[in-house]
Amino acid sequence: MYQLTVERSSPLHKQYLKGLLPIIPDGDIAAEMYEETIRISQESGYTHYEVSSYAKNQKAMSRHNFSYWQGMDYLGIGPGAHGRLTDAVSNERVRTFGEFHPDKYMSLCEKEGEGIRKITPISFHDMAEELIMFGLRTRMGIPRSRFKELTDGESLDKFLDKEQLNMFVENGFLVDEQGIVDDKIETYVPRELLSQWTHGGGIRPTKNFPSLKF
């Protein structure tokens, strides 16, 4: 569940400028709404497994979204769609950007067989930043083995400020685990991803982490 953002030049933005929308809540009210959403969801039996995601059981977790959060490949199909792919030969990772305008997208598909307007390489530094940023959106966190696999063998600890990490751990915001420790981990990590924690563990948020409550 996401709070709606009014993007400039969108139809919604035009309605907002014309005064056709209800009053948009400020930051404090939005935060209260977020807390209330979490409370109601938990009382209804849902697990808060990602900043904006809830599920009643493991089968209901979004495998599609986990592909984003855990650095997996995905196809970007359609006008304006982004993709992330790995070259099977060179093992190079790239981002794909679809043409924005539907007519131009269709024209490009007819001429070239695809609607991609740009392809850019992903450095392992960029990949590292994504894995850390997206990983901390989830209760699963950042498995060390997954991080190493997707950053050409780099260590997760190399990219973290040890002093800052220790501060977050000591204050109860993060857990630095060596292997699976939490006996409830299957309630917020898809079964097929559990093995990533058996080799080197990882770093994951606790219930005190600002954006996650469980």
Side-chain angles (χ1 to χ4, degrees):
M1 289 179 275
Y2 294 92
Q3 294 183 29
L4 197 59
T5 300
V6 180
E7 297 287 350
R8 292 180 64 85
S9 301
S10 66
L12 189 65
H13 183 243
K14 293 175 182 177
Q15 288 182 313
Y16 171 70
L17 293 177
K18 293 178 180 178
L20 300 177
L21 298 179
I23 297 174
I24 297 177
D26 60 22
D28 289 338
I29 294 177
E32 291 176 7
M33 292 170 65
Y34 180 69
E35 295 284 348
E36 188 67 5
T37 298
I38 295 172
R39 184 188 67 77
I40 294 172
S41 298
Q42 289 179 335
E43 289 180 355
S44 300
Y46 288 85
T47 295
H48 190 194
Y49 69 95
E50 188 267 345
V51 171
S52 299
S53 303
Y54 308 79
K56 278 200 170 182
N57 53 59
Q58 195 185 80
K59 290 182 179 179
M61 294 179 193
S62 174
R63 267 57 177 181
H64 174 81
N65 285 349
F66 263 105
S67 69
Y68 300 145
W69 304 327
Q70 292 299 315
M72 302 174 191
D73 287 357
Y74 57 90
L75 293 172
I77 301 175
H82 292 186
R84 182 170 60 207
L85 301 171
T86 303
D87 188 296
V89 178
S90 67
N91 207 38
E92 180 185 35
R93 308 204 81 201
V94 298
R95 298 188 206 283
T96 63
F97 300 83
E99 174 58 56
F100 288 106
H101 195 282
D103 289 340
K104 292 181 179 179
Y105 179 85
M106 290 303 298
S107 177
L108 194 58
C109 285
E110 291 172 355
K111 292 179 180 178
E112 307 292 340
E114 59 185 29
I116 296 175
R117 65 180 175 85
K118 184 171 67 172
I119 298 176
T120 61
I122 304 175
S123 70
F124 72 84
H125 282 97
D126 288 341
M127 194 71 244
E129 288 184 359
E130 280 194 19
L131 288 170
I132 293 171
M133 180 177 69
F134 287 123
L136 291 178
R137 288 177 61 100
T138 70
R139 285 185 68 182
M140 177 178 177
I142 315 162
R144 283 189 169 85
S145 62
R146 182 70 179 166
F147 187 92
K148 186 175 183 179
E149 177 187 346
L150 295 177
T151 56
D152 296 333
E154 293 288 345
S155 167
L156 170 61
D157 299 280
K158 176 181 176 181
F159 287 84
L160 300 175
D161 184 312
K162 194 66 176 177
E163 185 176 337
Q164 290 288 323
L165 174 60
N166 289 338
M167 181 187 72
F168 281 114
V169 171
E170 290 170 3
N171 285 279
F173 293 108
L174 295 174
V175 174
D176 189 351
E177 293 180 332
Q178 302 297 323
I180 295 178
V181 176
D182 187 358
D183 58 4
K184 295 181 180 179
I185 195 168
E186 289 196 18
T187 65
Y188 55 85
V189 176
R191 188 168 288 107
E192 62 270 21
L193 298 179
L194 286 174
S195 62
Q196 295 180 7
W197 283 89
T198 61
H199 303 288
I203 295 168
R204 62 176 180 80
T206 70
K207 63 181 179 180
N208 297 320
F209 202 70
S211 58
L212 289 170
K213 303 291 181 184
F214 45 88

